[in-house]
Amino acid sequence: MTTPFQKASEWIDAENAQDPNIETDQNKEYPKELLYSNRMYERLMQFEPNASEEIQIASKAQHICRWKVARESYPMDRVGYLKWREELKKFHAKTTAEILEKAGYNQTFINRVSFLIEKKLLKKDHETQLLEDVICLVFLEYYLEPFVHKHDEEKLKNIIKKTWDKMSEKGHQEALKINYSEENLNLIKASLGL
């Protein structure tokens, strides 16, 4: 018998598999948000093997159908960017809630997953912080490199500092174990004064 978790996971993957944006990982092409979802889930289970079912789903659905809410549909300034981010959180939470309901989860479970996806009570709620740690770890491991080629050193240092500030001490320790290029490790150390 298929569990609600298996159903929800399959449906989240099916939604993300429709992403028209393609990314290559180890010479294989993937829909961008499906690859991100898999990376989030794998990193969560590595970082916190006893993670609750709610946070497992929240990690998989963190960017569900993200391409449907285009950055360009908001003003291309800081205010527009922040508004876009806020709307995205609500969109991801709502899209996931619909899947969870269909999979047979109760409202309490669905509300908790939405709470986590919307990253409420960061630094105060243990699981919201855990999810933020995983988001930051995935960014540092897989997405820092492309940023390095797009921005100048000062902007990069600022991005790294902001990422670091969002993380817990356990997250910091894990981040320093990632296998960075020598150039990126030096950049991280310079950003954090290590």
Side-chain angles (χ1 to χ4, degrees), residues 1-140:
M1 196 176 124
T2 316
T3 65
F5 181 78
Q6 288 167 323
K7 282 186 207 165
S9 294
E10 279 173 27
W11 291 336
I12 290 165
D13 286 349
E15 288 295 325
N16 280 328
Q18 294 174 47
D19 190 351
N21 305 295
I22 300 298
E23 251 182 41
T24 305
D25 181 48
Q26 298 179 343
N27 300 319
K28 197 170 172 211
E29 291 190 336
Y30 298 88
K32 183 181 175 187
E33 295 309 343
L34 180 63
L35 180 61
Y36 180 78
S37 174
N38 291 340
R39 285 170 169 170
M40 282 289 295
Y41 182 74
E42 283 164 20
R43 172 51 85 175
L44 171 69
M45 299 317 289
Q46 193 183 347
F47 186 58
E48 185 55 73
N50 300 318
S52 71
E53 214 166 289
E54 290 91 338
I55 197 164
Q56 288 181 47
I57 287 172
S59 74
K60 284 188 73 64
Q62 187 60 30
H63 280 185
I64 190 167
C65 299
R66 194 180 189 97
W67 67 93
K68 292 182 179 179
V69 184
R71 170 67 186 98
E72 294 74 35
S73 58
Y74 291 84
M76 295 305 281
D77 56 16
R78 178 95 182 128
V79 174
Y81 173 76
L82 294 173
K83 180 132 180 57
W84 173 66
R85 290 291 299 268
E86 270 316 299
E87 292 300 318
L88 271 175
K89 284 183 204 171
K90 290 177 190 155
F91 169 72
H92 296 321
K94 184 175 180 291
T95 307
T96 307
E98 287 164 4
I99 288 172
L100 296 180
E101 200 173 331
K102 199 169 71 165
Y105 281 105
N106 65 37
Q107 200 54 51
T108 306
F109 186 96
I110 294 169
N111 291 347
R112 181 64 180 160
V113 173
S114 295
F115 176 95
L116 292 169
I117 289 175
E118 290 185 46
K119 294 200 276 189
K120 292 186 175 171
L121 294 182
L122 185 60
K123 297 282 185 194
K124 293 190 179 93
D125 183 277
H126 168 70
E127 287 189 316
T128 303
Q129 185 58 55
L130 173 56
L131 187 62
E132 187 64 45
D133 279 344
V134 172
I135 291 165
C136 293
L137 290 167
V138 167
F139 168 73
L140 289 168

